[in-house]
Amino acid sequence: MVRSIKVKKASVRNRLIVDVDVLMNEPNDFDFSPRASMEGNSLSITNAGDEAGGSIDLDDDQMIAAERDRMVELRVKFSVEGMHGVLTHKTKNTRIGPNAKKLAEPRWKTVLPLSM
């Protein structure tokens, strides 16, 4: 299940793009079905059948793009609180370290219909 949804920013390129951080309860949670709705100039992203959600106020250019396309490109970054912990021994220059790899970051991109 989704613990919280935080809308970080909204921008316009070809369409309205919304960056979202989603905090899940457990690493094995796969129950995330986002919904986008807009009332006035406030865009809210929620999980289907759940009260967890986040919202952001849109400016005029973002409102025009949302009303024109009636869809939102959603960029989601998933995380689980306390899953990776805190790294204690960091390599200063990651390109030359013996393990020159970064931890995997679960990201997801989708296009949602916008209900007004």
Side-chain angles (χ1 to χ4, degrees), residues 63-81:
M63 287 287 296
I64 291 170
E67 290 173 352
R68 178 189 67 215
D69 297 335
R70 301 272 179 166
M71 62 180 57
V72 175
E73 182 176 327
L74 192 67
R75 296 179 180 178
V76 181
K77 180 181 175 188
F78 291 101
S79 62
V80 177
E81 187 174 354

Side-chain angles (χ1 to χ4, degrees), residues 29-91:
D29 284 338
F30 303 108
D31 185 22
F32 181 63
S33 181
R35 303 289 188 258
S37 62
M38 193 165 73
E39 285 188 29
N41 67 342
S42 178
L43 174 72
S44 62
I45 306 294
T46 58
N47 189 25
D50 200 1
E51 65 267 358
S55 64
I56 190 169
D57 291 331
L58 303 178
D59 63 10
D60 293 336
D61 293 336
Q62 295 167 348
M63 287 287 296
I64 291 170
E67 290 173 352
R68 178 189 67 215
D69 297 335
R70 301 272 179 166
M71 62 180 57
V72 175
E73 182 176 327
L74 192 67
R75 296 179 180 178
V76 181
K77 180 181 175 188
F78 291 101
S79 62
V80 177
E81 187 174 354
M83 181 166 171
H84 293 299
V86 178
L87 295 176
T88 56
H89 303 289
K90 294 182 182 178
T91 305

